[in-house]
Amino acid sequence: MTHDLTQARARHEDAPKGLAERAVLDPHRPRFHFTAPGGWLNDPNGLAHWDGVYHLFYQYNPLAAAHHRIHWGHATSRDLVSWTDEPVALVPGSEGPDRDGCWSGVLVDDAGTPTLVYSGRHGERELPCVATGSPDLRSWRKDPANPVIAAPPEGDLTAFRDHCVWRENGTWRHLVGSGIRGVGGTAFLYESEDLRDWRYVGPLLTGDASSGTAADLDWTGTMWECVDLFRIDGADILAFSAWDEGTTHYPLYWTGRYEGDTFTPDALHRLDYGQRYFYAPQSTRDARGRRVMFGWLQEGRDKDAIAAAGWCGVMSLPRVVTLGADGQLAQAPVPELARLRRDAVRTGAFTMADGTHVGLDDVSGDQLDIETTLRIAPGGSARLVVRESADGSERTVIEVSRAADGITGTLSLHRETSSLDPSVDSEPRYGELPLTGDGAVDLRVLIDHSALEIFANGRALAARIYPTRPDALGVGIRAAGIVAVERFDAWRMAALFDGPRPLWP
Ligand code: FRU
């Protein structure tokens, strides 16, 4: 490992200078979401609340804003709000099973020894590897026995990577994400006494790949990335990122029952309507007993724009996940984020007539937290407009609508006019919005430059937007049908980092 680190540092010295310096100049770079100092970031890894400190590791390439020879970056926090960059935790070996990348994995407590289980990549193959950490989790030693599983189970598999590891009745259990070609995505279950010697048990659950596209509500893809099994308020949840030969990506979860060596599903749900904009989530239970989840907010701009920016990939805000009254997951940003709020604006309650528009002149910006409760008449909708330029040529619209039946609703994000740049992704996003009899919608919108996270009655929708106009800062509401705005509170959010950070702390 020391040898690998020395070599990696030497390569880093040869890297193009200025990634971190360029990154901070980019107007699209979020300021209160966690981002890597520069270069590439993807999945959250090794999430843990260890001795009072939250550890967030992540898929990182400090050499370029491109997915190549992935390292594990590392940051710590005491409050889930501000983050300290820690030394890079894992670097691909100069030889061995992870010479082409240290892919996603988890951190477990092995009788006091912090232990990482991750996917070592070599060529087109990924195999499970283990590394043990110093008590402060700052330096890591790869196990000489890596890879700890020499080959995937027999069969024609689409992939074999990413890990969920837990201790149960004195034994380690371990899921590895995979897919059986022609059948569907799956998670293979293993067992071990020591995290090194693994016995294959069988597939925990296998999906059905025959349903066509992500538009189908029963679609689960051909491979399950980043499987995450947890129990919440008595319900078992199997979360995974459905992938299908590289074209579609969607974070999904099954509710059901995990018993013995199988998971019996009740129902399949969408974890975030932003699809690939909240990808590869991982969660942990913190010392307060909360289920805290992060996901990777991918870019919606092209490779050239990313290379010019010098950085890419945003970590979502940490979310608390609970079980809603409807048996589905309810998500909300952790309450600690309120510490970043500044300059509160509260409009008080008002009612909007059909077809009216209210411009909220006191609430403008590209770094905002907005909380509102809207009551919508059956058949009506409210459109919250954000990042609107003075001439209206750029605007992003978040729409909550209530069907004529009064009890079904839709949450939509319209990005067609978010940016005058024709090269950025402008596809809309939408999903079902649960409503109660009075048609109330608790809507929370966090705007952080290109990162947008929306929460409506517990459902989540994350995405990226890239307005080009410096004056695309306006906020307003439009009503179709009568909309009662019961509260509307907004804050400017403080920035987490100032100035460039070392790419290789
Ligand atoms: C998900 C993923 C994982 C893999 C990692 C590689 O985004 O593809 O399956 O381990 O990213 O960086």
Side-chain angles (χ1 to χ4, degrees):
M1 178 71 182
T2 314
H3 175 64
D4 291 346
L5 255 180
T6 316
Q7 286 214 340
R9 268 187 198 284
R11 274 196 304 274
H12 178 246
E13 296 302 311
D14 298 337
K17 296 283 179 275
L19 287 178
E21 290 72 15
R22 280 201 329 261
V24 293
L25 297 175
D26 181 2
H28 297 303
R29 185 159 163 94
R31 297 294 195 258
F32 65 91
H33 282 71
F34 180 81
T35 48
W40 170 281
L41 166 151
N42 62 298
D43 313 353
N45 292 151
L47 268 189
H49 193 196
W50 189 285
D51 285 342
V53 177
Y54 291 97
H55 291 263
L56 169 64
F57 299 83
Y58 57 91
Q59 296 279 283
Y60 182 37
N61 180 4
L63 301 179
H67 189 261
H68 181 62
R69 293 194 87 245
I70 292 297
H71 300 49
W72 275 39
H74 182 196
T76 52
S77 174
R78 290 203 165 261
D79 61 2
L80 290 169
V81 177
S82 55
W83 294 93
T84 305
D85 293 311
E86 301 289 351
V88 168
L90 294 176
V91 298
S94 43
E95 50 190 31
D98 64 5
R99 69 186 82 170
D100 294 317
C102 301
W103 282 20
S104 281
V106 291
L107 167 63
V108 292
D109 180 349
D110 184 12
T113 303
T115 305
L116 305 177
V117 182
Y118 66 100
S119 295
R121 175 151 168 113
H122 177 201
E124 290 300 304
R125 220 170 143 86
E126 294 104 30
L127 290 171
C129 292
V130 165
T132 48
S134 55
D136 64 2
L137 282 66
R138 287 204 168 96
S139 51
W140 297 89
R141 186 179 160 274
K142 294 178 189 171
D143 199 294
N146 285 339
V148 294
I149 296 176
E154 295 283 302
D156 186 6
L157 305 181
T158 50
F160 181 65
R161 62 167 178 265
D162 309 337
H163 312 271
C164 174
V165 181
W166 70 99
R167 195 140 175 92
E168 189 178 318
N169 301 329
T171 302
W172 290 105
R173 299 205 114 189
H174 178 181
L175 294 174
V176 186
S178 188
I180 303 168
R181 202 163 270 117
V183 180
T186 191
F188 291 127
L189 177 62
Y190 287 81
E191 260 183 359
S192 170
E193 303 313 316
D194 62 1
L195 294 168
R196 297 339 185 247
D197 236 350
W198 292 98
R199 181 176 71 82
Y200 176 54
V201 178
L204 182 81
L205 175 67
T206 304
D208 174 1
S210 63
S211 119
T213 69
D216 301 314
L217 286 173
D218 59 351
W219 177 86
T220 57
T222 55
M223 191 259 142
W224 293 357
E225 298 189 296
C226 301
V227 288
D228 190 11
L229 175 69
F230 53 90
R231 176 162 292 176
I232 193 159
D233 303 331
D236 293 327
I237 306 291
L238 181 63
F240 60 101
S241 286
W243 176 96
D244 93 349
E245 321 294 354
T247 56
T248 323
H249 301 76
Y250 214 130
L252 303 173
Y253 66 97
W254 297 98
T255 46
R257 177 116 318 258
Y258 161 60
E259 212 160 26
D261 302 332
T262 52
F263 186 96
T264 309
D266 288 335
L268 178 71
H269 306 282
R270 299 175 162 202
L271 191 53
D272 188 297
Y273 300 143
Q275 306 182 15
R276 71 179 178 89
Y277 291 109
F278 182 84
Y279 199 66
Q282 191 178 103
S283 69
T284 191
R285 193 167 178 276
D286 75 359
R288 292 165 57 181
R290 301 182 299 181
R291 178 66 41 189
V292 177
M293 180 181 277
F294 288 82
W296 162 40
L297 312 186
Q298 300 189 16
E299 295 296 321
R301 50 183 174 175
D302 62 28
K303 278 203 172 92
D304 292 344
I306 288 171
W311 71 281
C312 88
V314 178
M315 202 53 78
S316 75
L317 297 169
R319 298 177 177 183
V320 183
V321 179
T322 52
L323 194 68
D326 61 358
Q328 297 193 37
L329 295 181
Q331 301 175 58
V334 295
E336 289 91 324
L337 287 165
R339 283 181 206 162
L340 295 173
R341 290 171 166 176
R342 307 282 183 273
D343 311 333
V345 174
R346 298 176 204 273
T347 65
F350 57 98
T351 298
M352 297 179 67
D354 182 21
T356 55
H357 170 250
V358 173
L360 297 157
D361 298 340
D362 297 341
V363 187
S364 84
D366 48 15
Q367 229 169 280
L368 294 175
D369 184 359
I370 297 173
E371 241 180 334
T372 177
T373 301
L374 305 165
R375 205 154 30 78
I376 301 166
S381 74
R383 299 178 134 227
L384 177 66
V385 179
V386 301
R387 301 293 318 259
E388 182 168 36
S389 61
D391 65 359
S393 60
E394 289 189 332
R395 70 161 72 96
T396 295
V397 180
I398 297 140
E399 182 176 17
V400 285
S401 59
R402 185 177 181 195
D405 70 8
I407 50 165
T408 53
T410 307
L411 167 66
S412 322
L413 171 69
H414 305 282
R415 296 186 298 165
E416 304 86 295
T417 55
S418 288
S419 176
L420 292 169
D421 176 352
S423 72
V424 302
D425 181 25
S426 60
E427 289 285 312
R429 290 285 190 271
Y430 39 85
E432 161 266 347
L433 172 69
L435 291 173
T436 50
D438 64 355
V441 181
D442 284 316
L443 181 65
R444 174 100 178 260
V445 176
L446 294 123
I447 300 159
D448 191 4
H449 301 263
S450 59
L452 180 62
E453 294 195 63
I454 303 163
F455 300 87
N457 288 356
R459 300 290 196 269
L461 194 169
R464 305 289 301 279
I465 51 169
Y466 302 89
T468 61
R469 303 260 319 227
D471 67 345
L473 303 170
V475 176
I477 308 181
R478 287 167 200 276
I482 297 171
V483 173
V485 179
E486 296 186 341
R487 70 179 278 223
F488 190 100
D489 302 338
W491 297 263
R492 179 176 68 76
M493 294 294 268
L496 291 186
F497 299 103
D498 28 59
R501 296 137 62 198
L503 285 163
W504 197 287

